[in-house]
Amino acid sequence: MYAVELHGITKRFANTTANDSITFTVRSGEIHSLLGENGAGKTTLMKILYGMQQPDEGEIRINGVKQKIDNPSVAIKLGIAMVHQHFMLIDSLTVAENVVLGYEKRKGMFFDMAGAVQAVEQLSATYGLKVDPRQKVGDLPVGTKQRVEILKALYRQADILILDEPTAVLTPLEVMDLFRVLRELKQAGKTIIIITHKLNETMDLADRATVLRAGRNIGTVNISETSPAQLAEMMVGRKISFDQAPLSAYPNRTRLLEVRGGVLRKHHVPVLNGINLEVHGGEILGLAGVEGNGQTELIEAITGLTPLDEGQVLLAGRDITRQSPSQMIESGIGHIPEDRNKLGLVGDFSIRDNLILGYHHRSSFQRFKLLKINHIKHFADQLRERFMIKSESIDTKVKALSGGNQQKVVIGRVLSQDPVVIIAAQPTRGVDIGAIEYIHQQLIEMRDQGKAILLISAELDEIRKLSDKIAVIYEGRIVAYGSRDAFDEFELGSYMTRGKPIAETGKEANADE
Amino acid sequence: MNRLVTLLLSLLGAFACGALILALAGYDPLEAYSALLVGAFGSKNAIANTLAKSTPLIFTGLAVAVAFRGGLFNIGAEGQLYMGAMAAALVGVYATGLPGLLQAALALLAAGVVGALWAGIAGYMKVKFRAHEVIVTIMLNYIAISLTNYLVNYPFKAEGSVPRTDAIPAGMQLTKLMPPNQVTTGIFIAILSCIIMYWMFNRTVYGYEIRAIGLNEDAARTGGISIGKRVVLAMFLSGFIAALAGAVEVLGVHKYFVAGFSPGYGYDGIAVAVLARNHPLGVIISALLFGALRGGSMNLDRQTDVPTDFVVMIQALVIIFVAIPWVIKKVKLMRKRGNSVGSQS
């Protein structure tokens, strides 16, 4: 019995075919992972199922009955619910009010608040979704907001739940909790589709997976009969390496980058709270941490954008704490910013102009303040080839490139200028698997050339795959530091969320009870 | 190329809309437009007149465009123009004893420097106190106009009832190209300024940095560009160029500074820059169009009953129609974001 059957769905946009006669079926009561790279057509397909977009061709059957779903309210009536990547919640309302919104209980002509609270409590008990119905949604952490979204779906008696990249914004512990909830929902007979590009999660959670690539269905597999390597190959169209990078072959004890007792205050609140950090030549230090624990400020301090209030930044032993951003660049601090569109690239500049940004003072690009246009063109052509930036030419505006190719522009710019230290912040965020692999290779190559690399990433997998050493940042301080094999995933998760090892966290939790 | 087509369509739309309004008001649109066309280009005199009217607009349009490129909205071209005109006139009247050409060059330079400093105040206040340049430049306009008014009415007033300075010597006046028409060698200075700015933006480190700031200030800062210095530089350049408009009017057309000589060249410069999409060379074409409208308006008045206000209306329509594709793009972008992000309030 199929809960969802999509037959020959085709959706064309102005100059692309997002879905090319896709047939996709989901069994009743299974967890089905819809896998694919960015732009593969996953979200479009699910928007069609949810009635947010209309297919040009094809038909939809829900529980065996042909349906025309021309807007989300039809989908909701059919028992379909979608949890979007960006939550559709009203911050100023309570959890209970958000859950019942649009389907409010009434008492006479009044809104039945007590009834709403009761309904939410009941649902939350049934499925193990812990929330306080009376709390304001705006005060909740991201993981809990997601629970509210799921409760909303359950309250509308959804049987088919679509989740769009549900783990993108969650910490490892929150992910574990979400998976527990999803398994419970499955036990209760719900059908679940998760849109994702994360292979580990698919392997961990799903019963079956369907892979889309460039708008086509590449195939559906049973998880028990597949491997991450096979799924990745289906997604990208070629073999992909998953092994941890070999540890540095040439570690040396030269401390190239060091932060000593770094304090930085924003509005009088210390966001860096006496942070100590050192990165050696020929080594990648992975800095793990939940976003907002001082990573951004640490990067700003090291790149000169916001100097430390107290403490020092040393580059190969030399104090560079108070240097300007351009002096930092000249000293050899290569910066791959965490938000490439905001900080890394000028979207309306050509690839060529972006490839020299920050380095345009160098004598290879200018003389007497006159740009050496021919040199720059030649240089940009070379880099475009070397870093395989897919584009028409070096004159293409970077805003027209895919995320992966934009990131290659940023990375190519830094790596081509022989930096001493590389600050790589979220280097693969929003980038396809193929490009991720390439970027990882480049970083490892730089490490093997003896550069010191500080890798700041929200992806634990990335940290664990690339780093020689791992440090965890929590509330503006380093709370754990060691070789990459010193911690497992759960240990790291505990440091990231509580700033303590699991053992202590457990004790405290017991003491709470 | 695509952009050029949209631009031409926008212009066509503006003129069509103007025709419709004329027809509705009971005038003959064809008659009005042909009067305009004849007035602007119909004879050697008409062409000379159009070029003369375009000259200050090239300067002010370029001034606004240069600031725009750096993400700055210089509303102060009018004030900078008056300050520059006064500086040029004073050099002309008092720095005597120099060869004419040198004195003219000195007058232009003095005007530029005064205008640059005047606009630089707004740049400095933006960098230092985060004062928005729109407010500051508007305020500086009032001050500049009042200040020059005072100077021309009291310390430097020439004999007679008109509030003007003494005339500058004939030797330093800009040469008339088609006498007795008012078009002078000033138009070459204007076009040369556009070419220099085009070159500056595309070939120099300064231009590169100013463009980067205008398009993405955060990325420019991350790239080590000193935002403050470049913002002040962009305002300097903008003010210098706006002041040249005033200087060229004084040295070529009026021969002295006279109170209230500008019919709002500084403000029209904003429209010129918008139509040119802030392209330094596009400014030339754009200024010629606005100059032609001004040039043609006199003939419109002579030949038809259509009020000359119609020309102002056409100018406004042009701006609106040029802005439309941009607005559509923004709205589409917002819709797209709205769809994918949803409303979260």
Side-chain angles (χ1 to χ4, degrees), chain A residues 94-107:
Chain A
T94 64
V95 170
E97 285 167 334
N98 264 289
V99 168
V100 301
L101 190 68
Y103 300 85
E104 297 91 354
K105 283 182 187 298
R106 282 160 201 263
K107 221 179 207 166

Side-chain angles (χ1 to χ4, degrees), chain A residues 357-369:
Chain A
L357 185 64
Y359 296 98
H360 55 278
H361 289 291
R362 297 219 157 162
S363 60
S364 43
F365 301 134
Q366 61 95 22
R367 201 167 127 202
F368 309 129
K369 300 287 179 193

Side-chain angles (χ1 to χ4, degrees), chain A residues 245-450:
Chain A
L247 284 168
S248 175
Y250 321 92
N252 60 53
R253 301 309 300 165
T254 327
R255 263 179 259 166
L256 288 184
L257 177 69
E258 207 181 335
V259 179
R260 278 195 203 151
V263 174
L264 188 66
R265 297 184 195 88
K266 276 205 172 152
H267 312 293
H268 307 291
V269 180
V271 270
L272 291 179
N273 210 344
I275 193 168
N276 291 298
L277 193 76
E278 51 184 68
V279 194
H280 302 97
E283 150 186 306
I284 297 180
L285 174 68
L287 187 66
V290 177
E291 274 180 57
N293 272 284
Q295 292 95 323
T296 304
E297 291 76 14
L298 177 67
I299 297 165
E300 286 181 354
I302 299 172
T303 54
L305 291 166
T306 315
L308 288 175
D309 292 320
E310 291 166 33
Q312 288 177 305
V313 181
L314 305 175
L315 180 69
R318 190 164 64 87
D319 189 341
I320 57 166
T321 318
R322 314 248 146 240
Q323 287 191 354
S324 72
S326 71
Q327 286 170 325
M328 291 287 191
I329 294 169
E330 277 320 296
S331 312
I333 304 265
H335 180 195
I336 299 166
E338 56 185 337
D339 183 340
R340 62 174 163 271
N341 288 314
K342 183 165 184 277
L343 303 173
L345 296 166
V346 178
D348 283 298
F349 263 12
S350 62
I351 293 174
R352 185 188 74 184
D353 282 348
N354 270 293
L355 279 172
I356 62 169
L357 185 64
Y359 296 98
H360 55 278
H361 289 291
R362 297 219 157 162
S363 60
S364 43
F365 301 134
Q366 61 95 22
R367 201 167 127 202
F368 309 129
K369 300 287 179 193
L370 299 184
L371 294 170
K372 294 176 173 173
I373 296 291
N374 289 330
H375 276 77
I376 294 171
K377 277 183 183 157
H378 183 65
F379 166 81
D381 275 326
Q382 274 185 332
L383 242 60
R384 178 168 161 265
E385 210 161 300
R386 180 176 146 203
F387 288 91
M388 299 185 288
I389 301 163
K390 270 183 228 150
S391 55
E392 252 167 55
S393 78
I394 53 167
D395 297 316
T396 311
K397 285 186 177 178
V398 297
K399 70 176 180 190
L401 302 180
S402 71
N405 284 300
Q406 288 180 341
Q407 192 67 348
K408 285 179 189 172
V409 173
V410 175
I411 285 172
R413 171 171 80 206
V414 172
L415 301 193
S416 63
Q417 296 298 328
D418 196 30
V420 181
V421 171
I422 297 166
I423 313 295
Q426 319 293 354
T428 57
R429 176 176 283 172
V431 165
D432 289 341
I433 291 194
I436 288 176
E437 191 194 26
Y438 178 78
I439 290 167
H440 285 172
Q441 278 168 5
Q442 293 295 318
L443 289 175
I444 287 166
E445 208 170 285
M446 285 291 131
R447 176 197 73 185
D448 289 343
Q449 287 174 22

Side-chain angles (χ1 to χ4, degrees), chain A residues 93-99 113 116-122 124-125 129-141 144-145 147-148 151:
Chain A
L93 295 184
T94 64
V95 170
E97 285 167 334
N98 264 289
V99 168
M113 186 64 190
V117 167
Q118 201 191 352
V120 171
E121 270 168 353
Q122 205 172 347
S124 101
L129 282 150
K130 273 178 245 154
V131 288
D132 175 358
R134 289 180 188 81
Q135 225 178 340
K136 282 226 163 70
V137 161
D139 301 334
L140 300 176
T144 315
K145 282 187 185 168
R147 266 183 239 159
V148 178
L151 280 171

